[in-house]
mmCIF file of all heavy atoms in Angstrom:
data_model
loop_
_atom_site.group_PDB
_atom_site.id
_atom_site.type_symbol
_atom_site.label_atom_id
_atom_site.label_comp_id
_atom_site.label_asym_id
_atom_site.label_seq_id
_atom_site.Cartn_x
_atom_site.Cartn_y
_atom_site.Cartn_z
ATOM 1 N N PHE A 25 -2.110 5.323 -7.016
ATOM 2 C CA PHE A 25 -1.226 6.295 -7.670
ATOM 3 C C PHE A 25 -1.493 7.712 -7.157
ATOM 4 O O PHE A 25 -2.640 8.121 -7.012
ATOM 5 C CB PHE A 25 -1.452 6.278 -9.193
ATOM 6 C CG PHE A 25 -1.024 4.999 -9.859
ATOM 7 C CD1 PHE A 25 -1.449 4.700 -11.138
ATOM 8 C CD2 PHE A 25 -0.191 4.097 -9.217
ATOM 9 C CE1 PHE A 25 -1.063 3.522 -11.766
ATOM 10 C CE2 PHE A 25 0.202 2.920 -9.825
ATOM 11 C CZ PHE A 25 -0.246 2.625 -11.114
ATOM 12 N N GLY A 26 -0.418 8.450 -6.958
ATOM 13 C CA GLY A 26 -0.497 9.820 -6.463
ATOM 14 C C GLY A 26 0.536 9.972 -5.356
ATOM 15 O O GLY A 26 1.330 9.065 -5.113
ATOM 16 N N GLY A 29 1.834 7.144 -3.026
ATOM 17 C CA GLY A 29 1.444 5.847 -3.567
ATOM 18 C C GLY A 29 0.341 5.176 -2.766
ATOM 19 O O GLY A 29 -0.451 5.833 -2.083
ATOM 20 N N ALA A 30 0.299 3.843 -2.838
ATOM 21 C CA ALA A 30 -0.733 3.084 -2.131
ATOM 22 C C ALA A 30 -0.583 3.248 -0.622
ATOM 23 O O ALA A 30 -1.551 3.174 0.127
ATOM 24 C CB ALA A 30 -0.650 1.610 -2.520
ATOM 25 N N GLY A 31 0.660 3.506 -0.179
ATOM 26 C CA GLY A 31 0.912 3.616 1.257
ATOM 27 C C GLY A 31 0.117 4.740 1.906
ATOM 28 O O GLY A 31 -0.267 4.642 3.066
ATOM 29 N N SER A 34 -3.203 3.308 2.678
ATOM 30 C CA SER A 34 -3.226 1.946 3.212
ATOM 31 C C SER A 34 -3.736 2.021 4.649
ATOM 32 O O SER A 34 -3.966 3.091 5.199
ATOM 33 C CB SER A 34 -1.823 1.336 3.170
ATOM 34 O OG SER A 34 -1.063 1.783 4.262
ATOM 35 N N ASP A 35 -3.893 0.872 5.248
ATOM 36 C CA ASP A 35 -4.353 0.821 6.632
ATOM 37 C C ASP A 35 -3.252 1.277 7.577
ATOM 38 O O ASP A 35 -3.515 1.662 8.713
ATOM 39 C CB ASP A 35 -4.760 -0.629 6.927
ATOM 40 C CG ASP A 35 -5.644 -0.736 8.148
ATOM 41 O OD1 ASP A 35 -6.108 0.309 8.622
ATOM 42 O OD2 ASP A 35 -5.861 -1.848 8.627
ATOM 43 N N LYS A 37 -0.898 -0.777 8.728
ATOM 44 C CA LYS A 37 -0.505 -1.839 9.668
ATOM 45 C C LYS A 37 0.965 -2.137 9.415
ATOM 46 O O LYS A 37 1.381 -2.356 8.282
ATOM 47 C CB LYS A 37 -1.329 -3.101 9.438
ATOM 48 C CG LYS A 37 -2.744 -2.982 9.954
ATOM 49 C CD LYS A 37 -3.359 -4.364 10.053
ATOM 50 C CE LYS A 37 -4.753 -4.354 9.503
ATOM 51 N NZ LYS A 37 -4.814 -4.213 8.045
ATOM 52 N N VAL A 101 6.611 8.996 -15.836
ATOM 53 C CA VAL A 101 7.750 8.468 -16.600
ATOM 54 C C VAL A 101 7.217 7.597 -17.734
ATOM 55 O O VAL A 101 6.438 6.671 -17.497
ATOM 56 C CB VAL A 101 8.691 7.649 -15.692
ATOM 57 C CG1 VAL A 101 9.753 6.927 -16.507
ATOM 58 C CG2 VAL A 101 9.338 8.559 -14.660
ATOM 59 N N GLY A 132 5.774 0.649 -7.787
ATOM 60 C CA GLY A 132 4.755 -0.237 -7.229
ATOM 61 C C GLY A 132 4.377 -1.358 -8.178
ATOM 62 O O GLY A 132 4.851 -1.436 -9.309
HETATM 63 C C1 LIG B 1 -6.317 0.140 0.765
HETATM 64 C C2 LIG B 1 -4.935 -0.443 0.999
HETATM 65 C C3 LIG B 1 -4.580 -0.898 2.284
HETATM 66 C C4 LIG B 1 -3.291 -1.414 2.516
HETATM 67 N N1 LIG B 1 -2.945 -1.752 3.799
HETATM 68 C C5 LIG B 1 -1.667 -2.105 4.085
HETATM 69 C C6 LIG B 1 -1.256 -2.296 5.429
HETATM 70 O O1 LIG B 1 -2.021 -2.144 6.366
HETATM 71 N N2 LIG B 1 0.032 -2.668 5.651
HETATM 72 C C7 LIG B 1 0.934 -2.846 4.611
HETATM 73 O O2 LIG B 1 2.094 -3.168 4.864
HETATM 74 N N3 LIG B 1 0.566 -2.661 3.320
HETATM 75 C C8 LIG B 1 -0.706 -2.269 3.037
HETATM 76 N N4 LIG B 1 -1.077 -2.043 1.732
HETATM 77 C C9 LIG B 1 -0.079 -2.280 0.659
HETATM 78 C C10 LIG B 1 0.943 -1.141 0.600
HETATM 79 O O3 LIG B 1 0.279 0.107 0.532
HETATM 80 C C11 LIG B 1 1.834 -1.338 -0.656
HETATM 81 O O4 LIG B 1 2.448 -2.608 -0.575
HETATM 82 C C12 LIG B 1 2.926 -0.275 -0.715
HETATM 83 O O5 LIG B 1 2.362 1.012 -0.757
HETATM 84 C C13 LIG B 1 3.823 -0.489 -1.953
HETATM 85 O O6 LIG B 1 4.780 0.545 -1.950
HETATM 86 P P1 LIG B 1 5.623 0.951 -3.228
HETATM 87 O O7 LIG B 1 6.440 2.140 -2.832
HETATM 88 O O8 LIG B 1 6.313 -0.255 -3.765
HETATM 89 O O9 LIG B 1 4.603 1.359 -4.382
HETATM 90 P P2 LIG B 1 3.330 2.303 -4.376
HETATM 91 O O10 LIG B 1 2.891 2.672 -2.993
HETATM 92 O O11 LIG B 1 2.347 1.641 -5.299
HETATM 93 O O12 LIG B 1 3.876 3.658 -5.042
HETATM 94 C C14 LIG B 1 4.159 3.750 -6.403
HETATM 95 C C15 LIG B 1 4.247 5.213 -6.786
HETATM 96 O O13 LIG B 1 4.771 5.302 -8.115
HETATM 97 C C16 LIG B 1 3.994 6.230 -8.849
HETATM 98 N N5 LIG B 1 4.089 5.858 -10.269
HETATM 99 C C17 LIG B 1 3.584 4.741 -10.876
HETATM 100 N N6 LIG B 1 3.895 4.755 -12.201
HETATM 101 C C18 LIG B 1 4.624 5.883 -12.408
HETATM 102 C C19 LIG B 1 5.231 6.455 -13.584
HETATM 103 N N7 LIG B 1 5.176 5.864 -14.792
HETATM 104 N N8 LIG B 1 5.882 7.643 -13.441
HETATM 105 C C20 LIG B 1 5.974 8.265 -12.221
HETATM 106 N N9 LIG B 1 5.422 7.762 -11.090
HETATM 107 C C21 LIG B 1 4.746 6.588 -11.195
HETATM 108 C C22 LIG B 1 2.581 6.116 -8.273
HETATM 109 O O14 LIG B 1 1.814 7.301 -8.531
HETATM 110 C C23 LIG B 1 2.894 5.933 -6.793
HETATM 111 O O15 LIG B 1 3.031 7.185 -6.155
HETATM 112 C C24 LIG B 1 -2.344 -1.525 1.436
HETATM 113 C C25 LIG B 1 -2.703 -1.083 0.150
HETATM 114 C C26 LIG B 1 -3.978 -0.551 -0.081
HETATM 115 C C27 LIG B 1 -4.334 -0.055 -1.481
#
Side-chain angles (χ1 to χ4, degrees):
F25 293 164
S34 81
D35 198 11
K37 285 196 225 71
V101 171

